[in-house]
Amino acid sequence: MAATELSIDDVIRKIADVGIIPVVRAASVEEANRAVEAICAGGIPVLEITMTVPNAVSVIRELAQHRGNEVLIGAGTVTNADQAESCLRAGAQFLVSPGLAVSVLSVARANSKLAIPGALTPTELMSAQEHGARLVKIFPCGNVGGPKYLKSLKAPFPNSCLIPTGGVNAANAAEFIAAGAFALGVGADLIDATALREGNLEKITNAAQELVNAVVSARAAMRTKKAS
């Protein structure tokens, strides 16, 4: 059954509630499907299928048809208008880019869908927001200071909804949340390539559960701190 159409606000709310966007990079359609199954079993009903996955659009279409009402499915590494159009036609509910692709934002806007561009510097973040981005992926965040960098970026942009990606894992999730992350983009640290290849889905499911617990605990700690 095809997914129910969601508004941009619905999608943003869902991402905010879950607080995690797993970035699925796999070597085959079969691997991608296994990763999705393992992540969902671990309690994360949000997924980003990257364009680097073979036949990524077909994977998105299949997931949207069979899991679209239980899982929020997005497309990642979307770098041009053609990819954006294909992903949305396949049923993607949101688009994520590694950098700022104005054409992707335009396609998303025309289709009333959410596009999350990538940025790293203050200038890039300002440019993304000038082009209408409501959520911005900060990538590769881990390579430039991780939580400390995110905290520095949030200082002049306190109302920006930032999603650090790159080097984010269960061990530092709390630091990223404390630094002001809107949600966390997590790839290789969640979806272990060897475990995926060998079919050890339990390892990925356990990693997903650990990440969910880390985010829930960190947010609870933040609320307690604000209340005191």
Side-chain angles (χ1 to χ4, degrees):
M1 187 170 65
T4 304
E5 282 298 312
L6 300 173
S7 70
I8 291 174
D9 286 340
D10 290 335
V11 173
I12 290 175
R13 237 184 331 264
K14 182 76 170 177
I15 291 171
D17 287 347
V18 177
I20 305 162
I21 301 179
V23 182
V24 178
R25 293 189 178 90
S28 67
V29 173
E30 292 73 22
E31 277 193 11
N33 280 317
R34 286 203 295 269
V36 168
E37 187 182 321
I39 292 164
C40 292
I44 306 177
V46 179
L47 298 160
E48 175 191 325
I49 305 296
T50 69
M51 288 296 97
T52 55
V53 173
N55 302 309
V57 174
S58 297
V59 175
I60 291 168
R61 184 177 295 108
E62 185 179 320
L63 289 171
Q65 288 173 349
H66 298 289
R67 291 179 178 262
N69 284 323
E70 53 187 289
V71 182
L72 185 66
I73 298 155
T77 323
V78 180
T79 58
N80 58 58
D82 287 344
Q83 286 181 337
E85 292 277 12
S86 297
C87 292
L88 293 179
R89 278 198 302 270
Q93 297 281 13
F94 64 96
L95 306 173
V96 185
S97 301
L100 175 59
V102 176
S103 62
V104 172
L105 283 166
S106 297
V107 168
R109 190 180 304 114
N111 287 274
S112 299
K113 292 295 181 185
L114 176 70
I116 306 173
L120 187 61
T121 66
T123 299
E124 291 169 356
L125 174 56
M126 288 165 63
S127 183
Q129 291 178 330
E130 279 176 10
H131 285 94
R134 293 176 61 183
L135 307 184
V136 180
K137 167 181 173 173
I138 303 302
F139 175 79
C141 196
N143 295 69
V144 294
K148 288 182 179 177
Y149 180 74
L150 188 73
K151 187 176 181 180
S152 296
L153 201 55
K154 282 284 286 188
F157 305 104
N159 298 318
S160 295
C161 297
L162 308 181
I163 303 175
T165 307
V168 181
N169 53 51
N172 59 26
E175 289 181 78
F176 275 109
I177 296 294
F182 179 79
L184 309 176
V186 189
D189 287 292
L190 172 58
I191 304 153
D192 184 281
T194 303
L196 190 56
R197 192 168 54 247
E198 294 174 352
N200 183 6
L201 303 189
E202 189 178 354
K203 183 172 184 179
I204 297 168
T205 296
N206 290 341
Q209 289 172 334
E210 185 181 3
L211 193 56
V212 169
N213 293 338
V215 169
V216 169
S217 297
R219 285 177 164 179
M222 289 282 288
R223 285 194 297 271
T224 302
K225 186 178 179 182
K226 284 180 182 176
S228 62

